[in-house]
Amino acid sequence: MRIIAIPNGGWRDIKTAARLKAEGVCKGVPDLFIPEWRFWIEMKRQKGGRASEEQKDWIEYLTATGYKAVVCKGKDEALQAAFDRREEMTRWQHYRQDGTGK
């Protein structure tokens, strides 16, 4: 399994920001992506973290196009979401292989 970190957050000087924008970095895209599981994670602080309007829009779009996308507060919540997604994908693989859903 591979996890991709999306370099959206943080302060950048104007030159770096312009270069990243030219490369396709988009405001609001979730922080982490696990391609094998079609799974996006937006990371937030455990206390006080909230998704921006751009982040909510991306999560809605990704969900509508068949991905799983979640907002997680802290690493423990993100790990639990990843374990849950792995279980969903395992069940889906079994269903696709034998048609029973078991």
Side-chain angles (χ1 to χ4, degrees), residues 37-82:
W37 298 344
R38 299 179 53 79
F39 187 45
W40 293 87
I41 302 173
E42 173 58 38
M43 296 295 300
K44 293 294 169 199
R45 289 187 207 127
Q46 280 182 305
K47 295 182 181 181
R50 289 185 290 179
S52 69
E53 290 306 312
E54 292 92 346
Q55 291 165 336
K56 290 175 186 176
D57 182 63
W58 268 102
I59 289 167
E60 184 179 313
Y61 167 75
L62 291 165
T63 301
T65 58
Y67 292 91
K68 174 92 174 200
V70 298
V71 176
C72 294
K73 292 188 173 189
K75 71 171 178 60
D76 292 338
E77 195 172 303
L79 285 170
Q80 185 60 55

